[in-house]
Amino acid sequence: MISDNLLSINKELPSDVRLVAVSKFHPLESILEAYEAGQRLFAESRPQELEKKIKSLRTLGSSGRESSDIEFHFIGHLQTNKLKLVLPYVSMVQSVDSRHLLEEIDKWGRGCGKVTDILLEIHVAAEETKSGLYEEEILDILWDAQKYRYVRFRGLMGMATNTDDVETIKADFARISQCFDYYRDLFADELPDFDQLSIGMSSDWRIALEYHPTMVRIGTAIFGERQ
Ligand SMILES: *Cc1c(COP(=O)(O)O)cnc(C)c1O
């Protein structure tokens, strides 16, 4: 049961860590079930799927079912030709993984006057396939942060190596957390809102808690296996 899963996760989560319910590949009904159980923040990873769910929710909302306080983050790879399917609907993009994407989000914002909250996705995991920015690229971007007036730099998102080896996972989270502290302190004057660290998924969120996240992103442990 989705509500039972939420209840038991929330019992273990410290009150200052936000639970992001990753609803990708799950039907709207699952989102509504979680909403009924009190969950307000969700995340999606595919632009079309996000847009479709948002529009269905709005239709339900206008027919009397209240869900106007629902909030979505985007956590997937975002192609720049899909921005308009995503940016109008989300309160944060957690997965900014290139300078090009950052520039396009800024340009989109300049066009319509919306400032987008973003996290930079940091690459630390061993697998070649994992996306994300290298530490030096993040530093380069943050030195230039004032150029991007329609982007608010809120922090880092990261994933640990996909492994059962707890020591490897710990080392990855430790590195991400260290980088986060370093950037936050270095740019404390320029970027006062750089205060969010998003680490931990279904398989490793309890480990992530040792490294001071402000958000954990959990899908399977709430909604079950994805189709
Ligand atoms: C799918 C996804 C999650 C959630 O994964 P689960 O293992 O189902 O909890 C978290 N973060 C990102 C970036 C994802 O793509």
Side-chain angles (χ1 to χ4, degrees):
M1 274 291 285
I2 290 172
S3 57
D4 297 328
N5 295 338
L6 282 169
L7 196 64
S8 71
I9 292 168
N10 277 317
K11 238 184 233 163
E12 270 186 72
L13 269 189
S15 59
D16 56 352
V17 180
R18 261 192 116 185
L19 174 59
V20 183
V22 179
S23 48
K24 64 184 184 194
F25 298 89
H26 291 285
L28 196 66
E29 292 69 49
S30 297
I31 295 179
L32 291 171
E33 205 177 319
Y35 184 87
E36 294 297 324
Q39 181 66 28
R40 292 294 178 268
L41 175 56
F42 297 84
E44 292 283 336
S45 64
R46 298 187 301 182
Q48 274 94 353
E49 183 180 346
L50 169 75
E51 196 199 31
K52 193 159 166 258
K53 284 173 172 168
I54 298 273
K55 291 197 163 156
S56 306
L57 282 166
R58 289 193 178 164
T59 309
L60 285 175
S62 62
S63 69
R65 251 180 116 158
E66 201 45 66
S67 59
S68 55
D69 55 351
I70 200 164
E71 191 185 337
F72 281 87
H73 287 181
F74 193 80
I75 59 169
H77 178 65
L78 182 51
Q79 288 174 292
T80 52
N81 62 348
K82 302 274 169 61
L83 293 189
K84 61 183 182 305
L85 299 181
V86 171
L87 298 184
Y89 307 118
V90 297
S91 56
M92 183 180 281
V93 177
Q94 293 203 9
S95 46
V96 173
D97 56 3
S98 73
R99 169 85 78 153
H100 178 61
L101 175 57
L102 187 68
E103 282 168 354
E104 292 299 309
I105 293 174
D106 185 61
K107 201 193 285 178
W108 181 89
R110 211 177 313 138
C112 64
K114 181 181 173 178
V115 177
T116 302
D117 277 16
I118 63 113
L119 302 182
L120 296 170
E121 182 177 346
I122 186 169
H123 176 112
V124 297
E127 304 104 280
E128 288 298 324
T129 52
K130 279 268 158 63
S131 55
L133 294 153
Y134 290 99
E135 292 166 23
E136 315 79 66
E137 294 180 285
I138 291 182
L139 207 48
D140 282 345
I141 286 172
L142 293 178
W143 283 117
D144 287 346
Q146 306 306 325
K147 289 206 303 212
Y148 305 109
R149 300 194 164 278
Y150 290 89
V151 168
R152 189 179 294 122
F153 292 85
R154 295 303 312 272
L156 293 188
M157 184 269 265
M159 275 177 269
T161 305
N162 185 12
T163 172
D164 292 335
D165 181 45
V166 174
E167 292 313 313
T168 303
I169 295 169
K170 285 188 173 183
D172 288 344
F173 284 147
R175 185 69 202 165
I176 297 168
S177 189
Q178 261 171 18
C179 288
F180 172 67
D181 289 344
Y182 173 70
Y183 304 137
R184 190 194 47 200
D185 294 347
L186 186 60
F187 297 102
D189 294 333
E190 295 88 345
L191 303 174
D193 302 314
F194 195 90
D195 57 6
Q196 297 296 311
L197 177 61
S198 173
I199 49 171
M201 308 173 29
S202 290
S203 60
D204 57 19
W205 65 272
R206 288 184 181 85
I207 304 172
L209 288 185
E210 295 168 36
Y211 302 93
H212 316 299
T214 61
M215 289 186 268
V216 292
R217 312 175 308 274
I218 301 181
T220 311
I222 297 172
F223 297 110
E225 293 295 332
R226 286 182 280 277
Q227 276 83 48

